Amino acid sequence: MSASFIKRRPSQRVLVGKVMLGGGAPVVIQSMTNTDTADIAGTTRQVEELAKAGSELVRITVNTPEAAAAVPHIRRRLDALGCQVGLIGDFHYNGHRLLTEYPECAQALAKYRINPGNVGRSRAEDDPFTIMIQTAIKYDKPVRIGVNWGSLDQNLVVRMMDENARLAEPKDVKEVTRAALIASAIDSAKRAEQLGLAHNRIVLSCKVSEVQDLIAVYRALTLQCDYALHLGLTEAGMGSKGIVASTAALAVLLQEGIGDTIRISLTPEPGGDRTQEVVVGQEILQTMGLRAFAPMVTACPGCGRTTSSFFQELAQSIQRHLRDQMPVWREQYDGVEYMTVAVMGCVVNGPGESKMANIGISLPGTGESPAAPVYIDGEKAMTLRGDNIAAEFTRIVDDYVEKKYVKRET
């Protein structure tokens, strides 16, 4: 289905803690810890790191009694640190028991994530899905019903495959499986509403691992419901592959107005920084012009005219400095996240790109005069020379922020 045929109804607004999803609200960044939730100190530390990086909601695994017992302690420690980020409890298999046996956990979480393929259902009074929904109602918590390709209800799949086989012209297996994902999500949402959960307390997701499958599933899903939708590849992968796959899938859907909250499920390098998934999500939204989180740095790719690595080092240094400063600047200044900075490596595009940014520097390329003109709001302001260009340019950026942007009242 081409994008021109996508006409999504406005999604329902869902309040998760202090964050609004859907209904025209800005697309929200989510992330997930990879600590043992029973490790209170370690999980608190990683949640705080993710929140400082810009994650507006953080999901934590709640899979054992020890993890469930730790949740209220983690919440209290975060509150003491002034970190108000909402915690989402990720439940599989035994969530109904954990939420029942640990009411403080149920109360401390901002949202529950339920996978209907793993929760299980029965007609008995102790039906796991029913218990979890009733708990959400009791504590007034929204629920994300998250269906995954790898943990889809097999009874549903078999039934739909059998029905498909009896058709005169059966559909291919992948198409039927995508339809089963959507049916599982919507049927579960309708059942939750029948149990008493409000329509505007439900978020849906149908996550798969392949780009084209994700696009096809969400295009179909968005035509069948108006629930707020969470986007993300369920296993994007490592490094550049994960970043490219996530960007390729989410950019198409977001451009079509599909998606209210996103997570970039990158596989981290051993000992790697978990906050990378937050940064990638922010950069997808910011480069698409959907939100602004931090000043953006434009830098040329380099060529035979830029045999020195200095412009690359300066661009990296400035980008790091801007991100490091944003937690402070965000509290002090209005609009600084929209600032643009250019770090260019030679005379070909350097002056032009520098003039287009709020602040730009055009470093000398190979064989050029050893001088670096600096442009501020389109006008040449000064020329830097010598061995201290990086420090001087950083100071110019800081001075610009202080003079240009309105200081918030404290």
Side-chain angles (χ1 to χ4, degrees):
M1 183 180 292
S2 67
S4 61
F5 291 100
I6 298 297
K7 290 186 178 179
R8 187 188 181 193
R9 289 174 288 173
S11 60
Q12 289 289 316
R13 292 174 73 87
V14 181
L15 184 62
V16 182
K18 298 182 179 180
V19 176
M20 185 64 73
L21 309 182
V27 179
V28 171
I29 299 281
Q30 292 193 31
S31 60
M32 187 173 184
T33 59
N34 61 355
T35 56
D36 179 354
T37 305
D39 176 4
I40 296 171
T43 302
T44 300
R45 182 166 54 251
Q46 191 173 85
V47 170
E48 186 187 23
E49 290 170 354
L50 291 165
K52 282 185 175 179
S55 186
E56 293 156 303
L57 294 168
V58 178
R59 185 153 49 110
I60 59 176
T61 299
V62 187
N63 59 336
T64 64
E66 293 78 13
V71 170
H73 297 286
I74 294 167
R75 180 70 272 164
R76 284 193 287 270
R77 288 196 180 194
L78 289 168
D79 290 342
L81 292 167
C83 181
Q84 301 298 312
V85 67
L87 296 177
I88 302 169
D90 190 58
F91 294 100
H92 298 271
Y93 308 110
N94 60 352
H96 59 298
R97 291 198 299 272
L98 296 176
L99 285 171
T100 302
E101 295 170 9
Y102 295 88
E104 281 192 87
C105 168
Q107 200 160 15
L109 294 168
K111 184 173 72 170
Y112 309 154
R113 189 270 186 164
I114 302 174
N115 183 339
N118 288 342
V119 169
R121 293 184 182 179
S122 71
R123 294 185 178 276
E125 292 182 359
D126 62 347
D127 171 59
F129 184 85
T130 298
I131 291 172
M132 296 187 76
I133 296 300
Q134 289 174 339
T135 305
I137 296 169
K138 178 179 179 180
Y139 295 105
D140 191 24
K141 304 295 181 180
V143 171
R144 171 158 74 93
I145 295 173
V147 183
N148 275 25
W149 192 274
S151 52
L152 188 55
D153 182 347
Q154 290 305 301
N155 292 328
L156 175 64
V157 174
V158 170
R159 176 172 61 79
M160 293 185 69
M161 289 293 183
D162 289 344
E163 292 172 354
N164 181 64
R166 291 193 290 270
L167 296 176
E169 296 184 10
K171 301 173 183 177
D172 65 53
V173 171
K174 185 168 279 192
E175 188 174 355
V176 177
T177 306
R178 291 199 295 250
L181 277 167
I182 295 169
S184 177
I186 293 179
D187 289 351
S188 296
K190 289 180 178 178
R191 184 164 179 233
E193 289 191 62
Q194 290 169 357
L195 291 167
L197 187 64
H199 188 77
N200 66 352
R201 301 302 273 163
I202 298 172
V203 180
L204 294 189
S205 67
C206 292
K207 297 177 78 172
V208 298
S209 299
E210 300 297 327
V211 170
Q212 294 298 340
D213 289 325
L214 191 81
I215 294 170
V217 165
Y218 275 89
R219 281 177 169 173
L221 177 63
T222 199
L223 295 176
Q224 298 182 41
C225 71
D226 66 348
Y227 297 109
L229 300 181
H230 173 75
L231 302 185
L233 293 170
T234 188
E235 295 106 8
M238 297 182 69
S240 60
K241 185 269 178 184
I243 294 171
V244 170
S246 294
T247 305
L250 270 59
V252 171
L253 294 169
L254 291 167
Q255 187 68 21
E256 295 175 7
I258 300 171
D260 303 292
T261 169
I262 65 172
R263 184 200 168 198
I264 311 302
S265 300
L266 297 179
T267 304
E269 300 288 343
D273 189 349
R274 190 70 168 178
T275 62
Q276 185 188 19
E277 66 177 52
V278 179
V279 174
V280 172
Q282 289 179 329
E283 290 182 346
I284 290 173
L285 295 178
Q286 187 151 352
T287 54
M288 292 184 68
L290 297 176
R291 289 191 67 181
F293 298 94
M296 296 291 284
V297 174
T298 299
C300 68
C303 65
R305 293 175 177 269
T306 57
T307 52
S308 167
S309 63
F310 181 69
F311 86 92
Q312 298 159 301
E313 294 163 2
L314 178 57
Q316 187 177 53
S317 171
I318 286 294
Q319 180 72 78
R320 185 168 53 247
H321 177 73
L322 294 173
R323 283 205 164 270
D324 289 345
Q325 289 296 109
M326 268 311 294
V328 177
W329 285 345
R330 191 180 294 115
E331 298 297 321
Q332 294 182 342
Y333 303 103
D334 283 321
V336 68
E337 64 271 19
Y338 294 98
M339 182 174 69
T340 55
V341 179
V343 179
M344 306 304 292
C346 79
V347 75
V348 174
N349 291 323
E353 290 284 356
S354 296
K355 291 177 183 178
M356 293 294 291
N358 293 118
I359 308 175
I361 185 169
S362 180
L363 296 165
T366 304
E368 294 177 16
S369 174
V374 174
Y375 297 84
I376 297 178
D377 291 332
E379 301 293 333
K380 183 177 177 181
M382 63 202 71
T383 299
L384 303 182
R385 294 181 173 82
D387 299 328
N388 205 31
I389 288 177
E392 289 181 37
F393 186 66
T394 302
R395 187 163 53 251
I396 291 167
V397 170
D398 290 343
D399 289 343
Y400 180 87
V401 170
E402 186 173 349
K403 294 173 183 176
K404 175 78 174 182
Y405 296 98
V406 177
K407 201 155 190 176
R408 296 179 188 273
E409 294 183 5
T410 56

